[in-house]
Amino acid sequence: MLFVAKRSSRDAAKGTRSQLFDLKMRRARHFYCHLLRGPPVSSHRTKTMSHLNYETRLPLGQATIDHFMGLPAHPSKCQATYVWIDGTGEQLRAKTRTFDVKPKYVSEYPVWNYDGSSTGQAEGDNSDRYLRPVAVFPDPFSGGHNVLVMCDTLDNEMKPTVTNHRQACAAIMKQVADQHPWFGMEQEYLIVDRDEHPLGWPKHGYPAPQGKYYCGVGADRAFGREVVETHYRACLHAGINIFGANAEVTPGQWEYQIGTCEGIDMGDQLWISRYILHRVAEMFGVCISLDPKPKVTMGDWNGAGCHTNFSTSEMRKPNGLTAIFEAMKGLEKTHLEAMKVYDPNGGQDNLRRLTGRHETSQADKFSWGVANRACSIRIPRQVADEAKVRIPRRPSSIIQLRSLPRDSNDCKKCAPRLNIYNYSTTQIIHVHLISPI
């Protein structure tokens, strides 16, 4: 009996140790689940719970989406997604319709209506607004005969809505067509979570200082490359003249370049490339910020711009610097006027970015120089050496492309007023003088 009793004691000790181990493991699992999912939400906390505490992970049912999106496109029908700029002047809206046969020309796509009271473009008692197709691109998301249709927005009298600057811009581009205005735009943006916190940033603190992120490679410095590469391929499929892409100075910030484009085509391509970017980000469960300087980056972090490169046929000729220098005089005269159209809020958004620091010029002073990234207009050294240029201006990432010159003669005298074409952007533009591509 004594031998059995001792054995039972040892077994009991083992059982106790096993129970303690199991208890510790359960506590550890609970702790990590708490970190990953957050604490349970009681009914009483539900009333005050922030809308940022999401229960559903995005994207939804990726395997299901892949299954149906992987189905062959319809052999004859066309899904046309109409895309337009809403009342904010910077956000995009879209809706889709089906055609039995794909139209051959943009003029064959019919005008369509929408509820302007839900997009900030009309009152509820007179809400119908109209979409007029102006440019068509292959749809990289659904393939087949399907297309993306960039649209003008018109009011109930078929006149441009307040945020429709394209019509006036297109008219000026037509007037100066003999100047063959070329544009190339460098769209910077920040990838953020749905709580507007930059992707890759710690939720309670800041990442390592700037320096290693620009064109960086590695998991500790490049955040969101999947979005960038997918967007690049999608733009190529859509026929967008995407020139390149790279990681930018602030962690989570990227840039892609569109161009060279001539005339109004620049605005259409930039807006559709933005639509594609938002759609791609949506598929990854993240968001895109075109804010020139989000609150979280108000410290020692670079803001976002939409540097614009511009030239006319005269500037691209041998000794084209003479035409550029003349353009500088015109840009200087209209500097303050131009600053007001570089974002949808009268230039106020851009003021948060143009501080004279972080590779920006001062908002109230016009400046230009060779290889100077802290001025309003930068002439790349190679351009100065070759004596022929494209002018790059440095507006915000949320630049508004609209027509600033009052007429075509004004435009010819001062060809590089980059806000001529501001109908398509929404961030601050930097003008850089660069050689033709």
Side-chain angles (χ1 to χ4, degrees):
M1 292 294 294
L2 182 61
F3 174 78
V4 174
K6 288 184 177 179
R7 185 178 177 184
S8 298
S9 177
R10 286 198 300 269
D11 288 345
K14 287 182 179 180
T16 302
R17 287 195 296 270
S18 178
Q19 290 173 357
L20 287 173
F21 177 77
D22 289 342
L23 178 61
K24 289 179 179 179
M25 289 301 295
R26 285 198 299 271
R27 287 178 175 174
R29 283 196 297 270
H30 177 77
F31 175 72
Y32 286 116
C33 287
H34 178 83
L35 287 180
L36 292 172
R37 291 188 267 177
V41 180
S42 65
S43 58
H44 119 107
R45 282 190 62 221
T46 304
K47 298 178 182 179
T48 58
M49 184 181 72
S50 167
H51 69 287
L52 301 179
N53 293 326
Y54 300 103
E55 292 295 329
T56 304
R57 295 186 62 182
L58 292 178
L60 299 172
Q62 191 62 46
T64 305
I65 295 170
D66 290 344
H67 171 76
F68 287 100
M69 293 305 290
L71 294 174
H74 195 279
S76 60
K77 291 184 182 292
C78 166
Q79 289 177 259
T81 299
Y82 281 39
V83 180
W84 73 97
I85 304 165
D86 69 12
T88 64
E90 58 185 289
Q91 299 298 327
L92 290 162
R93 306 291 179 113
K95 62 177 185 173
T96 304
R97 63 185 299 171
T98 303
F99 294 100
D100 290 333
V101 179
K102 179 183 177 181
K104 292 183 178 180
Y105 308 102
V106 66
S107 58
E108 295 179 354
Y109 288 87
V111 171
W112 200 9
N113 70 321
Y114 69 100
D115 174 15
S117 67
S118 296
T119 63
Q121 294 169 297
E123 298 296 330
D125 58 355
N126 185 17
S127 63
D128 282 359
R129 292 295 179 262
Y130 298 96
L131 301 172
R132 180 175 60 193
V134 294
V136 180
F137 302 85
D139 187 340
F141 300 102
S142 53
H145 298 293
N146 305 318
V147 294
L148 303 177
V149 184
M150 189 67 210
C151 299
D152 263 352
T153 53
L154 306 172
D155 62 18
N156 60 309
E157 297 179 350
M158 303 304 285
K159 296 180 180 179
T161 59
V162 174
T163 53
N164 176 6
H165 304 295
R166 185 188 186 281
Q167 184 166 312
C169 182
I172 290 182
M173 288 296 112
K174 186 176 181 179
Q175 292 173 8
V176 298
D178 61 322
Q179 299 292 306
H180 299 286
W182 286 4
F183 296 87
M185 305 194 77
E186 306 169 19
Q187 178 68 72
E188 293 179 345
Y189 60 94
L190 189 65
I191 303 177
V192 298
D193 292 334
R194 288 182 293 159
D195 60 2
E196 300 183 358
H197 199 78
L199 189 68
W201 288 40
K203 292 295 185 182
H204 304 287
Y206 293 91
Q210 295 183 162
K212 65 179 182 179
Y213 306 105
Y214 174 70
C215 296
V217 178
D220 64 334
R221 61 197 65 199
F223 311 123
R225 192 182 296 276
E226 299 89 342
V227 173
V228 177
E229 296 293 345
T230 305
H231 174 250
Y232 203 135
R233 294 291 184 89
C235 282
L236 289 173
H237 179 90
I240 301 293
N241 292 342
I242 185 167
F243 186 80
N246 60 270
E248 268 300 334
V249 178
T250 296
Q253 185 186 66
W254 296 81
E255 171 187 300
Y256 66 94
Q257 303 91 36
I258 301 293
T260 299
C261 298
E262 185 167 328
I264 197 67
D265 187 42
M266 179 70 251
D268 295 335
Q269 291 206 27
L270 183 61
W271 275 113
I272 286 295
S273 74
R274 286 175 172 178
Y275 169 78
I276 294 173
L277 179 60
H278 286 297
R279 281 286 307 276
V280 167
E282 178 184 315
M283 295 173 73
F284 284 99
V286 294
C287 302
I288 300 299
S289 171
L290 295 181
D291 192 309
K293 193 76 171 178
K295 289 182 179 179
V296 71
T297 66
M298 289 304 287
D300 195 15
W301 307 100
N302 279 28
C306 189
H307 303 169
T308 299
N309 305 282
F310 173 84
S311 72
T312 62
S313 53
E314 196 67 28
M315 297 175 188
R316 296 189 292 269
K317 292 179 179 178
N319 299 316
L321 276 177
T322 301
I324 288 294
F325 293 155
E326 286 300 312
M328 296 303 101
K329 298 176 183 178
L331 284 166
E332 184 173 14
K333 293 177 182 177
T334 60
H335 177 67
L336 296 180
E337 182 183 359
M339 289 300 301
K340 294 178 181 179
V341 299
Y342 281 162
D343 64 57
N345 296 305
Q348 293 302 307
D349 292 340
N350 207 9
L351 291 178
R352 290 184 275 113
R353 173 178 172 268
L354 294 182
T355 61
R357 301 176 62 229
H358 306 113
E359 301 181 37
T360 67
S361 58
Q362 293 184 339
D364 59 343
K365 295 179 181 179
F366 176 81
S367 58
W368 64 276
V370 175
N372 184 354
R373 290 183 175 272
C375 62
S376 306
I377 297 181
R378 175 176 64 87
I379 304 176
R381 193 170 302 282
Q382 181 182 356
V383 168
D385 293 342
E386 293 177 1
K388 52 184 179 181
V389 286
R390 260 192 319 145
I391 278 191
R393 184 157 192 126
R394 313 183 78 181
S396 78
S397 49
I398 255 180
I399 177 177
Q400 294 293 310
L401 295 186
R402 66 184 75 191
S403 53
L404 186 61
R406 295 166 183 78
D407 54 45
S408 58
N409 290 327
D410 192 15
C411 179
K412 290 176 182 178
K413 292 176 186 175
C414 212
R417 285 189 186 174
L418 299 196
N419 23 357
I420 273 183
Y421 199 62
N422 280 10
Y423 125 76
S424 69
T425 48
T426 56
Q427 280 181 315
I428 303 171
I429 295 178
H430 251 208
V431 176
H432 306 229
L433 304 178
I434 68 176
S435 56
I437 294 175

